[in-house]
């Protein structure tokens, strides 16, 4: 498929400017009586992405409480935002921890294992894409990876799970998804596995950036087979508000190969978003880190979060980002049920009840807004 950017970038906003050359089937309105105006078919997809669902023991206790002590019910995490999530054509989340079917083996930090009812809550919230290539993918070994894959494929085949594979043949395939007449190619790669290594002959199980050459080659292939390419990258320095050199280098490499949108996770705090331009002229929008989506990390910087809000428009055979935003969120942590809410709706009264405020640390809505402006420039 023919693909090119048809957006003109100005500051932090995008405006769509369509231009047609002499070979275009469309004719702009002119002064000649022979000139005819032709309507070009167009369609749009509204895309939403959030950061890490880092399911700790605190969140597990909350889920068990919500399940009446009999099962783990994680719907409380998503209830405040499920209407928003479901309103998008495509919504993505990074499921940081591996999903297991033996709940007796659930665990929190440092080797996470999450009851797979968390996946049911994700599906019910309205997410369409789940990324699972993280530094915690191998926390429960190959058994955990296989349980996670089986859960998504058998229980929620309507959801596209990225980053984990059951075979070498599976890993060789590019994941595609179609929405509103636009075909998306999707990738999810992580920087590593916390020093662990996949077993011999099982290197296909998790998409890792040690195999960047394959990622770039597949993105080049997608340039000719999809309308739009999204790459989810799990990398960066933890608790840093600034992308490191590796993140910036990979973003340019991916843009040059043909990626249109790059969505980052792993630092557990927000990092800026920007438009990058490769040497060959290709352009990509990069969210270096969306931060967490939900967690109980004992670090105030991890409570400020972000969501990507992107509109992708196809006009004729051309596809581009025509609008985007970076939406601030906060992890509203009261008791054992932390959950994300929009920062715009977060009051000082609510901030005063946050876990960090209750422990004597300074935690205010005004402070969160100040940090947001400083980090994102918005």
């Amino acid at each position: 498929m023919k693909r090119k950017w048809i957006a003109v970038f100005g500051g932090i906003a995008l405006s769509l400017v369509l231009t047609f050359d002499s070979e275009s089937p469309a004719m702009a309105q002119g002064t000649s009586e022979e000139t005819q105006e032709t309507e070009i078919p167009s369609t749009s997809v509204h895309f939403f992405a959030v950061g890490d669902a880092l399911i700790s023991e605190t969140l597990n206790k909350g889920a068990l409480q919500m399940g009446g002590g009999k099962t783990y019910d994680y719907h409380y995490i998503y209830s405040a935002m499920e209407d928003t999530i479901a309103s998008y054509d495509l919504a993505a989340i990074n499921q940081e921890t591996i999903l297991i079917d033996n709940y007796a083996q659930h665990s929190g930090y440092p080797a996470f294992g999450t009851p797979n009812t968390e996946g049911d809550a994700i599906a019910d919230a309205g997410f369409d894409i789940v990324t699972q290539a993280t530094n915690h993918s191998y926390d429960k070994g190959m058994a955990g990876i296989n349980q996670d894959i089986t859960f998504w494929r058998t229980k929620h085949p309507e959801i596209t799970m990225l980053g984990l594979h059951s075979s070498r043949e599976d890993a060789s395939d590019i994941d595609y998804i179609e929405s509103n007449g636009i075909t998306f190619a999707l990738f999810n790669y992580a920087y590593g596995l916390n020093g662990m290594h996949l077993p011999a002959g099982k290197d296909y199980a998790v998409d890792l950036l040690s195999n960047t050459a394959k990622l770039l080659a597949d993105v080049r292939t997608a340039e000719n087979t999809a309308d739009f390419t999204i790459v989810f990258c799990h990398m960066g320095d933890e608790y840093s508000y600034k992308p490191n050199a590796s993140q910036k280098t990979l973003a340019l490499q991916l843009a040059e190969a043909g990626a249109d949108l790059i969505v980052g996770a792993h630092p557990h705090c927000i990092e800026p978003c920007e438009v990058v331009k490769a040497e060959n002229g290709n352009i990509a929008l990069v969210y270096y880190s969306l931060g967490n989506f939900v967690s109980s990390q004992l670090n105030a910087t991890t409570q400020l979060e972000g969501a990507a809000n992107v509109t992708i428009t196809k006009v004729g055979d051309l596809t581009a980002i025509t609008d985007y935003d970076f939406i601030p969120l906060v992890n509203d942590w009261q008791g054992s049920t932390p959950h994300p809410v929009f920062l715009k709706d977060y009051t000082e009264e609510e901030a005063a009840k946050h876990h960090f405020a209750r422990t004597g640390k300074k935690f205010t809505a005004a402070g969160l807004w100040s940090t947001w402006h400083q980090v994102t420039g918005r």
Side-chain angles (χ1 to χ4, degrees):
M1 297 180 183
K2 182 180 179 183
R3 303 167 57 251
K4 64 179 287 188
W5 280 77
I6 50 177
V8 174
F9 297 83
I12 57 174
L14 298 177
S15 60
L16 177 64
V17 177
L18 301 181
T19 59
F20 303 98
D21 58 28
S22 59
E23 296 180 355
S24 171
M27 300 292 292
Q29 185 175 4
T31 57
S32 170
E33 294 181 358
E34 296 180 358
T35 301
Q36 295 183 354
E37 185 176 351
T38 303
E39 182 178 349
I40 304 171
S42 66
T43 184
S44 292
V45 166
H46 300 288
F47 171 81
F48 185 75
V50 297
D52 305 333
L54 186 60
I55 309 300
S56 64
E57 276 299 271
T58 295
L59 275 74
N60 288 333
K61 290 177 181 177
L64 191 60
Q65 174 185 326
M66 292 298 178
K70 298 179 180 180
T71 187
Y72 291 85
D73 184 351
Y74 295 92
H75 286 82
Y76 74 90
I77 294 174
Y78 307 97
S79 59
M81 296 188 63
E82 60 185 10
D83 288 345
T84 297
I85 295 164
S87 71
Y88 282 80
D89 299 306
L90 291 178
I93 185 172
N94 179 58
Q95 178 53 47
E96 178 87 12
T97 55
I98 208 76
L99 303 183
I100 59 174
D101 55 27
N102 185 348
Y103 300 171
Q105 295 181 356
H106 81 272
S107 57
Y109 180 84
F112 294 92
T114 301
N116 58 23
T117 50
E118 155 68 353
D120 294 325
I122 285 175
D124 290 343
F127 286 102
D128 308 282
I129 301 165
V130 176
T131 57
Q132 292 252 211
T134 79
N135 53 306
H136 290 289
S137 294
Y138 196 57
D139 280 3
K140 293 298 181 180
M142 285 302 302
I145 291 173
N146 290 332
Q147 288 175 44
D148 191 293
I149 293 171
T150 298
F151 169 77
W152 289 116
R153 291 185 177 175
T154 61
K155 188 70 180 294
H156 293 290
E158 77 280 7
I159 290 179
T160 300
M161 186 275 289
L162 303 172
L164 304 182
H165 304 286
S166 58
S167 67
R168 196 169 301 280
E169 292 73 23
D170 178 51
S172 67
D173 293 335
I174 296 175
D175 288 290
Y176 295 96
I177 190 170
E178 190 273 338
S179 179
N180 293 349
I182 300 177
T183 301
F184 294 83
L186 305 173
F187 302 91
N188 170 215
Y189 276 66
Y191 75 91
L193 299 171
N194 288 340
M196 296 184 288
H197 301 280
L198 295 167
K202 302 289 186 180
D203 55 302
Y204 59 79
V206 183
D207 285 329
L208 297 173
L209 286 170
S210 56
N211 202 1
T212 298
K214 178 183 182 299
L215 169 60
L216 295 175
D218 285 347
V219 169
R220 293 188 189 99
T221 297
E223 175 79 3
N224 298 311
T225 56
D227 297 309
F228 195 87
T229 299
I230 305 175
V231 182
F232 298 90
C233 294
H234 201 83
M235 64 183 301
D237 297 325
E238 290 185 324
Y239 318 116
S240 172
Y241 289 128
K242 296 181 179 180
N244 62 28
S246 295
Q247 287 169 277
K248 285 184 167 288
T249 296
L250 182 61
L252 286 170
Q253 289 177 318
L254 288 169
E256 185 170 29
D260 301 296
L261 174 62
I262 301 163
V263 180
H266 175 65
H268 302 304
C269 62
I270 58 167
E271 293 179 347
C273 69
E274 67 175 355
V275 175
V276 299
K277 186 175 183 179
E279 290 187 0
N280 64 354
N282 284 354
I283 295 171
L285 173 61
V286 185
Y287 292 85
Y288 286 106
S289 175
L290 300 180
N292 289 335
F293 185 59
V294 65
S295 77
S296 61
Q297 287 191 297
L298 298 174
N299 187 327
T301 61
T302 64
Q303 307 306 303
L304 180 61
E305 313 167 342
N309 174 21
V310 184
T311 301
I312 300 103
T313 301
K314 182 177 182 180
V315 181
D317 61 355
L318 305 180
T319 307
I321 290 173
T322 49
D323 193 20
Y324 76 90
D325 194 10
F326 200 4
I327 303 173
L329 312 175
V330 60
N331 186 47
D332 185 19
W333 182 1
Q334 299 180 34
S336 61
T337 56
H339 61 280
V341 298
F342 290 105
L343 183 55
K344 67 179 179 63
D345 300 326
Y346 200 58
T347 67
E348 292 296 359
E349 290 75 18
E350 289 170 319
K353 299 176 184 178
H354 193 281
H355 171 81
F356 286 99
R358 297 198 312 272
T359 57
K361 297 179 182 178
K362 186 176 181 180
F363 193 87
T364 65
L368 292 168
W369 275 113
S370 178
T371 301
W372 178 266
H373 296 319
Q374 291 177 33
V375 175
T376 68
R378 293 171 172 266

